Amino acid sequence: MGKFHTKRILYSILLFLSVISFSFAENMDQLLKNQENMNQLLKNQENMNQLLKNQENIKEQERTELEEQSQQKETEEKVQTKLQQKAFLTEESEIEININKLYKDILKDKKLKQFGYDFFKRTTKTVSPVGDDYVLGPGDKLKIYLWGDPVDIMAINREFTVEVSRDGTGYVPNIGQLTLSGLSIRDLKNILQKKYGDKFKNLKVDITLEKLRSFNVYVTGFVREPGMITVNSLDTVIDALYIAGGVSKTGSLRKIQLKRKEDSQLKIYNIDLYSLFIEGNPVDIKLRDGDVIYVPPIGDVVAIFGDIKRPAIYELKDERELKNVINFAGGFNASVNDSFVRISRFAKDGVEIFEGDLTDKEFLKTKIVNGDFIFFGRKPDIIQNAITISGEVYYPGIYSINDTKTLKEILLKAKPKPNALYGRVIREDKNQLDFVIEDILKDKRNIDLKALDKIEIYNKFFVEPVYVSGEIDNPKTIPYYEDLTLIEALRSVKFKYPLRELKAIIIRNNMNFITVYLYDLLNRFDQTKDIKLYPGDVVIIQKTFRTEKAPSVTVLGEVKNPGKYEITEGETIADIIAKAGGYTESAYPQALIFIRESAKKLQKEKLEITIITLEEQFIKSSKEVSFSNEEEKQIAMLAIQEQKNLLQILKKKAELGIGRIALDIPATLMELKNSNQNIALEDGDTIIVPQRPNYVLVIGDVYNQISLPYIKGYKLKDYLAMVGGVGKNADKKDIYVIKANGRVVSGQSFSRGFLLWSGIEDYEPSQGDTIVVPTELKIPIAWRSTIKDVVQIIFQSISTAVLAKRL
């Protein structure tokens, strides 16, 4: 019994375990199955996300392509517009030419244009947005967007493109083929909302027009570019005329026709562009495939000119009375003269004139014919209670007779200038009263004024002088003469402050102001500042503001921070080089180039005078020298001409170096600070610190003018030997060396032998020095000193230029 129960218990346990095992396996299978479903769902989600991402990429690509196409089209339209504008500028209608020529005495320097034709010159065609009332047709391309909550397991494309085919239908996903032509965008939205509404909750539908349908229309008649053109479904008659280049000036703006086939019949729409141009009414007839736009020749015209708001040449339609065409011009100005209207008309034997009054109703009914020219006069520019004073007074202009009744009163108000002497009262009836100003102001005489009197105040000079005043000790009135300049006007003026603190304000015609800084003019000798003066100019000397014209010095070359630096009174070369960060490792201070504008002017003047003197001597020599034969004469003349050409070349080469002041600058900045060469700076000074040169320059009458490498211990004669020696015409007694710092070493200052020139041959040049071998000058003794000085300036300038060009 016990054994039997034990077996039953074992079987029960096994059965229980089996059930549990089966149940666990079943649940595990289900769990794995669920896991697979979940993975599949995740994978589907990833696919959906990738699909959406791909759609977004496609959409972005489409947008980019559309933008590029739009930009390309816009560029093409701009080019086309410019070409059309150019064409407009070159065209001139025969109508305009005839009227402008015929009435040139009335028009004077003005010209009349035909009204309305410039509209197409300035128009820029743009694409308008499409609203929900847009009616679809074959060729339109739509982008449809759907979103909402699904109510079944159907998948949905969130966006898709639909194109209207030629038969007017289009395929819509999940719905099928629909007839779209003739539907508005709003109608299609409602249809899609209804058809998709039973499958999605909170469905939203949006539709955009991705591409407009295009088609051809024909523009004929008097347009710039007649023919077949391509338009889209939003274009109007105006757009078509613009694409065709606009209406020609021989074409009508008022009788344009749009011809269209409707229901197998030809329908004609008449278009008057004046309705748009003058009244502002839109011309918005949309175009259809096959439309024909015809522009007939221009009709009758009338020219309107004078004191009206919009003078021009207008085209007539039904307007045949004067009062009708007045409206074209937008009405009259307030200054129009009602009693002065003139109509000029082409007649059989010439031109007939009709005159009338705008207040005359019968005159306003005057019949207008083709080619009439209507002129509306202006009221006289007369102020009834005014008196006018002009001339040598500080406050010229118009005064009221009610407040200024006598001549003395107006003189006290207008304030005569110091040079005013006498005047004249000119009445409206042309009678004249002359007077002396002093007599009026001292009550020796007075004149009662009348309305419309004109008073002229005259100068005691034949022409008005130039006045100089301001921060000077002696204000001056300078009689004017031809070619009077600012320097001449200031020649004997004593200034109250230093030049660097002053400026001259030139007032011309009471309105033009010219500012000249006196330091630039009188110290730096800047010729561009020497302004030509005119009668009546007023020159006022004023102090400059600190920030207005700060003195400055330019530092270039081998310094750490080259540039332009402001200076204060007393600053020196060492101070400004320290401001510029000091010397670089490549600097060669001993060859420092210091250029000052005031020195430049003096050297340049000396150079110019001597060049002229030499040229005169060349001419004189060629006339005085006798020759044994013609061949000898020709050789001599060629030599003289060669010398003249050489002189001009040297003059040009000298330009850069002119103005240099030779200074013996030490090698270090500390030594410079304690040196007597550390001079004070002036506004406009230029400092150039060159690189350490590794050459010696040999120029002048030698066989080979060249830069030679610097060799320590070499003497002058060694360098001359390297260039083949001196020329046969060389002046050996006057060989000299221009040091890199601009100073000169000559045979007189360096002599070690019996002959001066042999002494200079033993001199050891330094880096950057220039050896100059001059040509013996065959000139009068009295000139030699001056000409040698100038030749030295020229060669010194060449040396300076070589150093500066290495920067």
Side-chain angles (χ1 to χ4, degrees), residues 72 85 132 137 156 273 385 593 616 771:
Q72 182 178 359
Q85 289 175 344
D132 280 357
I156 181 171
L273 292 183
N385 66 335
I593 300 169
E616 289 176 350
I771 301 171

Side-chain angles (χ1 to χ4, degrees), residues 300-333:
D300 293 347
V301 295
V302 60
I304 306 177
F305 184 70
D307 209 30
I308 53 174
K309 294 180 180 177
R310 189 167 54 209
I313 301 169
Y314 294 91
E315 182 182 358
L316 298 173
K317 189 178 178 183
D318 301 323
E319 304 84 6
R320 292 301 171 183
E321 293 184 355
L322 176 60
K323 61 183 179 181
N324 301 134
V325 300
I326 289 174
N327 295 329
F328 286 158
F332 307 109
N333 296 326

Side-chain angles (χ1 to χ4, degrees), residues 643-672:
Q643 289 180 349
K644 291 171 67 176
N645 295 339
L646 177 61
L647 201 59
Q648 292 300 321
I649 293 171
L650 291 176
K651 176 186 172 184
K652 291 179 180 178
K653 287 184 177 181
E655 291 296 328
L656 181 61
I658 287 181
R660 182 176 182 182
I661 297 176
L663 297 173
D664 192 6
I665 302 296
T668 67
L669 196 56
M670 184 60 68
E671 291 175 306
L672 175 60

Side-chain angles (χ1 to χ4, degrees), residues 591-762:
L592 183 142
I593 300 169
F594 184 84
I595 297 175
R596 177 159 285 173
E597 293 297 324
S598 54
K600 180 181 287 189
K601 179 176 185 294
L602 295 175
Q603 288 184 6
K604 194 169 184 178
E605 288 179 351
K606 189 173 183 179
L607 181 64
E608 293 285 350
I609 292 171
T610 308
I611 293 292
I612 293 172
T613 303
L614 282 172
E615 289 177 343
E616 289 176 350
Q617 175 60 20
F618 290 148
I619 295 172
K620 186 176 180 181
S621 298
S622 64
K623 291 181 178 179
E624 292 180 351
V625 177
S626 59
F627 304 99
S628 58
N629 55 52
E630 184 65 26
E631 183 179 356
E632 184 178 332
K633 180 179 179 181
Q634 290 180 359
I635 293 173
M637 295 301 291
L638 287 173
I640 291 173
Q641 184 61 44
E642 184 179 350
Q643 289 180 349
K644 291 171 67 176
N645 295 339
L646 177 61
L647 201 59
Q648 292 300 321
I649 293 171
L650 291 176
K651 176 186 172 184
K652 291 179 180 178
K653 287 184 177 181
E655 291 296 328
L656 181 61
I658 287 181
R660 182 176 182 182
I661 297 176
L663 297 173
D664 192 6
I665 302 296
T668 67
L669 196 56
M670 184 60 68
E671 291 175 306
L672 175 60
K673 288 181 180 179
N674 301 318
S675 169
N676 60 1
Q677 302 294 297
N678 188 26
I679 63 176
L681 299 170
E682 293 182 1
D683 183 29
D685 285 348
T686 300
I687 297 172
I688 304 174
V689 181
Q691 291 181 357
R692 181 174 297 277
N694 57 358
Y695 67 89
V696 171
L697 181 63
V698 182
I699 58 178
D701 199 347
V702 293
Y703 285 103
N704 187 15
Q705 299 187 84
I706 195 172
S707 293
L708 297 172
Y710 168 74
I711 301 175
K712 188 174 181 180
Y714 263 41
K715 298 179 180 181
L716 184 145
K717 59 185 176 183
D718 298 321
Y719 289 107
L720 290 179
M722 293 172 70
V723 297
V726 300
K728 61 181 179 180
N729 295 319
D731 190 350
K732 298 179 181 179
K733 300 185 298 299
D734 283 328
I735 294 175
Y736 57 91
V737 176
I738 300 173
K739 302 293 293 176
N741 62 10
R743 303 234 171 150
V744 175
V745 176
S746 65
Q748 287 81 0
S749 60
F750 180 84
S751 177
R752 292 183 182 174
F754 176 73
L755 296 176
L756 293 180
W757 68 268
S758 62
I760 195 68
E761 281 194 342
D762 292 327

Side-chain angles (χ1 to χ4, degrees), residues 10 21 45 55 96 120 132 134 145 174 177 180 222 264 300 350 524 579 586 675 694 712 737:
L10 290 173
S21 177
Q45 183 65 37
Q55 290 177 341
E96 290 180 359
F120 297 100
D132 280 357
Y134 176 79
Y145 302 89
N174 300 317
Q177 203 80 0
L180 302 179
F222 290 79
S264 301
D300 293 347
R524 297 176 62 183
K579 270 188 182 180
S586 304
S675 169
N694 57 358
K712 188 174 181 180
V737 176

Side-chain angles (χ1 to χ4, degrees), residues 310-559:
R310 189 167 54 209
I313 301 169
Y314 294 91
E315 182 182 358
L316 298 173
K317 189 178 178 183
D318 301 323
E319 304 84 6
R320 292 301 171 183
E321 293 184 355
L322 176 60
K323 61 183 179 181
N324 301 134
V325 300
I326 289 174
N327 295 329
F328 286 158
F332 307 109
N333 296 326
S335 54
V336 68
N337 189 342
D338 292 342
S339 60
F340 183 16
V341 182
R342 178 183 297 162
I343 301 174
S344 303
R345 178 172 297 166
F346 292 104
K348 182 178 180 181
D349 298 321
V351 177
E352 293 180 348
I353 304 295
F354 305 91
E355 294 184 350
D357 194 315
L358 290 175
T359 60
D360 184 353
K361 294 183 179 179
E362 291 301 317
F363 179 70
L364 291 177
K365 295 180 181 179
T366 302
K367 299 296 181 183
I368 300 300
V369 301
N370 184 31
D372 278 358
F373 185 99
I374 307 171
F375 176 74
F376 297 94
R378 181 185 178 90
K379 293 175 182 176
D381 295 327
I382 298 174
I383 303 175
Q384 296 299 322
N385 66 335
I387 46 177
T388 305
I389 187 168
S390 61
E392 296 302 304
V393 291
Y394 286 108
Y395 304 106
I398 299 173
Y399 292 81
S400 169
I401 188 64
N402 301 329
D403 303 317
T404 311
K405 299 183 181 298
T406 67
L407 181 58
K408 182 178 180 179
E409 289 179 23
I410 197 170
L411 289 176
L412 291 173
K413 291 180 179 179
K415 298 189 182 304
K417 293 179 179 179
N419 58 296
L421 179 62
Y422 65 97
R424 177 174 294 163
V425 178
I426 304 173
R427 302 287 193 193
E428 187 182 14
D429 59 6
K430 305 303 180 184
N431 287 328
Q432 299 180 2
L433 302 172
D434 293 331
F435 60 89
V436 176
I437 294 174
E438 187 177 4
D439 291 347
I440 301 297
L441 294 179
K442 290 186 177 181
D443 294 324
K444 294 180 181 179
R445 182 188 177 194
N446 205 353
I447 298 174
D448 291 329
L449 299 176
K450 296 181 181 181
L452 305 182
D453 277 353
K454 292 182 179 179
I455 301 136
E456 296 178 354
I457 306 299
Y458 302 110
N459 198 314
K460 64 183 177 182
F461 299 97
F462 180 71
V463 293
E464 189 174 5
V466 171
Y467 310 93
V468 183
S469 60
E471 300 293 348
I472 57 177
D473 292 334
N474 51 336
K476 300 175 66 177
T477 300
I478 302 173
Y480 177 80
Y481 59 87
E482 192 68 25
D483 297 328
L484 176 64
T485 65
L486 184 57
I487 285 182
E488 293 298 322
L490 300 178
R491 188 170 295 282
S492 60
V493 169
K494 295 182 179 180
F495 303 103
K496 292 183 178 180
Y497 299 95
L499 292 178
R500 69 172 65 250
E501 300 178 20
L502 294 174
K503 61 184 176 183
I505 307 295
I506 302 171
I507 305 174
R508 185 166 294 161
N509 299 327
N510 294 323
M511 60 179 68
N512 297 324
F513 296 83
I514 304 171
T515 301
V516 177
Y517 296 100
L518 295 188
Y519 188 86
D520 294 339
L521 175 68
L522 301 177
N523 198 305
R524 297 176 62 183
F525 303 105
D526 186 346
Q527 295 297 321
T528 63
K529 309 298 182 185
D530 192 15
I531 305 298
K532 177 178 171 58
L533 299 178
Y534 292 90
D537 280 357
V538 177
V539 181
I540 301 176
I541 307 302
Q542 295 181 351
K543 289 196 70 175
T544 58
F545 299 106
R546 175 67 183 85
T547 57
E548 181 181 4
K549 178 61 175 164
S552 62
V553 168
T554 301
V555 184
L556 302 173
E558 295 301 321
V559 292

